[in-house]
Amino acid sequence: MSENNRIKRVKKYGIDLGERGIYDTRNKLNELTGKEWVYFTNSIWITGYSPTAKENVGLKYRKIHPSPKPPGLIKDIVNFFTKSNSKILDPFAGVGGTLLGTALAGGDRLAIGIELEQKYIDAYKKTCFVEQMEIMPIIADDSLNMLNYEIIRDNEFDLIIADPPYSDMMNKARTGQKAKLYGQKVGTPYSENKNDLGNLPKEQYLQKLREIVELASSRLKKDKYFILFCKDFQPDSNSPNILHADIIYSINGVGGLQYKGMRIWHDQAMSLYPFGYPYSFVMNQIHQYILIFRKG
Ligand SMILES: C[S@@+](CC[C@H](N)C(=O)[O-])C[C@H]1O[C@@H](n2cnc3c(N)ncnc32)[C@H](O)[C@@H]1O
């Protein structure tokens, strides 16, 4: 072993990883250094994955979906909440943001997805094929049936990443929201399927989401994390539509999950629109909530 390759110890528990900083050998959560860990705890997260960014693999095929997550963003989440050889479950896999992000994170991690719509699964597989990436297991079914599958029932997971639809609010395009995001019209439903959470009114939506969260967390190891993406909608005369708070109150305690905090993700790929201009204030919501729960 050359002098440069020799492990440089720092005090009792530290290993000097050069520019990356010091890795603490007591770290049970991930393989990050102290400075990388602290950077991730910033409550605001600003990213801009342009359609051509290297980590936005296969967007050309994935953009048939109304809200694909950037695999690079998921890679950072996977790297923070897991170590190498971990298993990750995504009950709303879409066109595979979590599966691709896990592949980008490497370290022999495995992600398993469930997705209702075959067309999204096909787009994920096409992305892997064209980009020559490993195809992770993805089941075509309603997540309520997840325990019917051995690959889920007989596995224990180190992380769950759930990016569910936002109840049927997503289907209601509002004035001015005709613009395109990632090639799809805002307000496009994921499917016509009656089992799709995106086609349920809020109370039924929250009930079904709770059931799916409970099933998924029954396969999550103790002390491990459950991540949930969501966003709010424009307030209206019936409701302030603060969906992220409804979801936190609705699933806190379900399956032993405890709410631990959130990161607000500002997606720089979103454009600003003059919704209420020049008459009234209408918010441009260009952020999403990344809600963090821990099974304790
Ligand atoms: C916000 S999208 C997830 C996008 C995904 N993170 C990606 O990067 O492509 C939500 C997905 O959940 C799927 N879905 C809705 N209800 C479902 C259910 N009951 N079981 C499984 N998937 C469902 C929808 O078809 C949609 O693709």
Side-chain angles (χ1 to χ4, degrees):
M1 192 189 264
S2 76
E3 190 62 35
N4 282 347
N5 286 338
R6 216 166 262 157
I7 291 175
K8 280 203 236 149
R9 298 222 161 250
V10 181
K11 295 194 183 147
K12 200 168 166 191
Y13 298 108
I15 295 176
D16 188 344
L17 297 183
E19 283 190 1
R20 284 187 55 197
I22 310 290
Y23 176 73
D24 188 315
T25 52
R26 293 167 298 180
N27 183 341
K28 286 191 176 161
L29 182 59
N30 57 39
E31 292 161 357
L32 302 183
T33 62
K35 77 176 180 192
E36 291 166 339
W37 176 305
V38 173
Y39 181 76
F40 188 90
T41 59
N42 186 338
S43 60
I44 306 285
W45 196 2
I46 302 173
T47 69
Y49 296 98
S50 81
T52 51
K54 195 165 152 263
E55 295 201 325
N56 222 343
V57 281
L59 185 62
K60 189 171 156 196
Y61 311 107
R62 294 185 297 112
K63 73 182 183 189
I64 63 155
H65 193 283
S67 58
K69 287 287 168 300
L73 180 89
I74 304 294
K75 179 186 97 173
D76 289 346
I77 293 177
V78 167
N79 276 331
F80 186 83
F81 288 104
T82 68
K83 287 179 178 271
S84 294
N85 298 305
S86 291
K87 289 180 187 155
I88 295 123
L89 174 65
D90 181 349
F92 304 100
V95 284
T98 297
L99 311 193
L100 294 164
T102 300
L104 290 176
D108 278 331
R109 291 173 175 89
L110 171 75
I112 299 174
I114 309 159
E115 165 58 47
L116 206 49
E117 285 296 305
Q118 186 62 45
K119 63 177 186 275
Y120 298 145
I121 295 179
D122 293 344
Y124 162 65
K125 289 188 175 165
K126 173 124 194 186
T127 300
C128 294
F129 184 73
V130 174
E131 301 286 339
Q132 299 188 330
M133 291 174 79
E134 181 190 356
I135 301 184
M136 306 264 176
I138 179 162
I139 297 165
D141 203 345
D142 185 330
S143 280
L144 271 186
N145 301 327
M146 70 174 82
L147 297 188
N148 293 348
Y149 297 88
E150 256 173 47
I151 195 171
I152 295 181
R153 200 178 50 232
D154 296 349
N155 258 318
E156 275 203 306
F157 293 88
D158 302 277
L159 175 65
I160 296 175
I161 299 179
D163 179 19
Y166 317 118
S167 88
D168 64 356
M169 288 194 276
M170 178 91 179
N171 298 353
K172 296 172 191 157
R174 283 159 212 276
T175 319
Q177 286 187 324
K178 298 287 177 236
K180 289 191 167 188
L181 172 68
Y182 300 125
Q184 288 284 315
K185 263 188 195 160
V186 176
T188 308
Y190 296 119
S191 70
E192 303 298 330
N193 194 319
K194 66 175 175 20
N195 297 322
D196 185 332
L197 260 77
N199 294 331
L200 298 179
K202 198 164 88 187
E203 283 316 312
Q204 287 175 39
Y205 163 85
L206 288 173
Q207 173 60 29
K208 182 161 177 175
L209 181 62
R210 259 196 308 274
E211 289 169 32
I212 292 174
V213 166
E214 185 156 25
L215 291 171
S217 56
S218 73
R219 305 316 311 138
L220 181 65
K221 291 181 189 166
K222 186 170 174 298
D223 295 335
K224 298 293 181 181
Y225 289 83
F226 192 120
I227 308 301
L228 196 145
F229 280 87
C230 70
K231 67 188 290 186
D232 295 339
F233 286 84
Q234 299 289 359
D236 59 32
S237 50
N238 297 321
S239 164
N241 286 331
I242 310 173
L243 187 65
H244 82 275
D246 292 334
I247 291 181
I248 294 171
Y249 283 113
S250 180
I251 68 175
N252 193 37
V254 169
L257 296 181
Q258 281 171 359
Y259 175 63
K260 291 290 175 186
M262 69 169 78
R263 293 196 81 186
I264 293 177
W265 171 44
H266 169 186
D267 180 2
Q268 287 184 317
M270 301 280 287
S271 307
L272 293 177
Y273 297 105
F275 294 137
Y277 178 80
Y279 303 109
S280 61
F281 169 75
V282 180
M283 181 186 58
N284 256 291
Q285 192 177 193
I286 51 169
H287 66 278
Q288 292 196 23
Y289 299 91
I290 301 175
L291 308 179
I292 301 163
F293 298 82
R294 188 180 193 206
K295 183 166 170 175

